[in-house]
């Protein structure tokens, strides 16, 4: 790989990072808070490509026949093309039910609980509901209508769960938080379908068969399919 090829790869890789960072594509790879760093990396790569082209052009002008003395770069440098192809050709889907059922729940006891509205239905993040139900024994949830959203996972026995994948840094470390469904469960559920579930708190809970972590339940009174959110991962679990 000569310098011109290196510059082209750097430019294309930087452009791909900028494209991902300026659209929602980056949310398939990293948490939303890393967007500025991703954009900065793209700018640096594009600038490095431009600098490489400029220095090569200046060296040729100052030293005629410069190209004849250039030694070939190691062939391993072509591995730089692999992340470029991954960004351009492969847009991985968000992790779903397959990963969720093979990984133990990541639910952790919150440091505290934000105040909730005094009346009306509660629209809660699934991780927030799970934390309050499992560790606060539903004290702030009793007698309230609750709405939570997540994707469906069905275990080997057909038991349904509503799940969000909790994200610490990037998709590689995503772990599930699971809420069991009981009550008026829709008769037909498809794995990875996103649902908005309406229901009430129940003290019922189970242990995750993978790691023994707590799985709280929600008493379902209604459920409706919804589009997958722009950001499929949850980032609140360890904040």
């Amino acid at each position: 790989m000569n310098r011109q090829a290196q510059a082209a790869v750097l430019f294309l890789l930087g452009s791909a990072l900028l494209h991902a960072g300026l659209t929602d594509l980056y949310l398939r790879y990293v948490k939303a808070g890393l967007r500025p760093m991703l954009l900065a990396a793209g700018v640096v790569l594009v600038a490095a490509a431009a600098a490489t082209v400029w220095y090569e052009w200046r060296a040729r002008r100052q030293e005629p026949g410069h190209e004849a003395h250039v030694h070939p770069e190691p062939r391993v440098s072509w591995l730089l093309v692999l992340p470029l192809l991954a960004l351009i050709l492969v847009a991985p889907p968000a992790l779903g039910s397959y990963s969720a059922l093979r990984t133990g729940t990541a639910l952790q006891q919150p440091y505290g609980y934000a105040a909730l509205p005094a009346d009306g239905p509660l629209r809660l993040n699934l991780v927030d509901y799970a934390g309050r139900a499992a560790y606060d024994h539903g004290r702030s949830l009793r007698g309230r209508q609750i709405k939570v959203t997540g994707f469906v996972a069905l275990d080997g026995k057909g038991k349904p769960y509503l799940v969000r994948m909790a994200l610490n840094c990037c998709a590689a470390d995503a772990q599930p938080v699971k809420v069991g469904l009981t009550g008026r469960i829709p008769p037909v559920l498809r794995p990875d379908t996103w649902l908005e579930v309406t229901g009430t708190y129940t003290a019922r809970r189970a242990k995750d068969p993978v790691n023994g972590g707590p799985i709280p339940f929600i008493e379902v009174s209604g459920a409706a399919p919804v589009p997958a959110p722009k950001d499929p991962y949850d980032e609140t679990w360890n904040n």
Side-chain angles (χ1 to χ4, degrees):
M1 177 183 286
N2 58 28
R3 290 291 178 85
Q4 292 88 344
Q6 290 177 21
V9 170
L10 287 172
F11 176 79
L12 291 174
L13 184 55
S15 299
L17 289 177
L18 290 174
H19 169 70
L22 293 172
T23 63
D24 296 332
L25 180 61
Y26 79 103
L27 295 172
R28 298 291 181 93
Y29 300 94
V30 298
K31 64 190 300 183
L34 295 179
R35 186 179 202 173
M37 296 179 66
L38 191 69
L39 291 173
V43 170
V44 168
L45 288 173
V46 170
T52 300
V53 171
W54 185 78
Y55 281 120
E56 184 73 6
W57 174 80
R58 188 180 68 169
R60 287 186 179 183
R61 290 197 61 180
Q62 293 178 349
E63 184 181 343
H66 168 74
E67 187 172 6
H69 302 294
V70 173
H71 298 287
E73 301 294 335
R75 292 184 179 180
V76 71
S77 59
W78 282 103
L79 292 177
L80 286 170
V81 177
L82 295 181
L84 173 62
L85 293 177
L87 278 172
I88 294 176
L89 301 178
V90 182
L95 298 176
S97 60
Y98 180 87
S99 298
L101 293 174
R102 287 158 179 78
T103 308
T105 180
L107 184 62
Q108 301 174 3
Q109 184 168 4
Y111 295 114
Y113 304 94
L116 297 176
D119 53 16
L122 295 175
R123 188 178 296 275
L124 295 179
N125 179 283
L126 184 141
V127 177
D128 188 17
Y129 171 82
R132 292 173 186 269
Y135 295 108
D136 195 40
H137 308 289
R139 279 189 283 263
S140 58
L141 304 175
R142 289 190 174 94
R144 306 291 299 274
Q145 186 184 64
I146 300 163
K147 293 180 181 291
V148 291
T149 301
F151 63 84
V152 175
L154 302 174
D155 68 12
K157 297 180 180 179
K159 293 179 181 178
Y161 300 94
L162 201 65
V163 184
R164 287 297 295 265
M165 299 299 289
L167 198 65
N168 181 34
C169 172
C170 58
D173 62 28
Q175 295 175 284
V177 173
K178 310 170 189 178
V179 171
L181 302 180
T182 187
R184 297 175 57 185
I185 301 171
V188 179
L189 289 174
R190 296 179 57 188
D192 298 308
T193 299
W194 283 83
L195 291 180
E196 181 182 74
V197 168
T198 303
T200 54
Y201 165 76
T202 174
R204 179 181 173 185
R205 65 189 61 196
K207 289 186 177 181
D208 193 304
V210 180
N211 67 351
I215 298 180
F217 277 70
I218 185 170
E219 185 80 20
V220 179
S221 58
V226 293
K230 179 178 69 173
D231 185 353
Y233 297 112
D234 187 281
E235 301 172 19
T236 63
W237 69 296
N238 64 342
N239 291 343

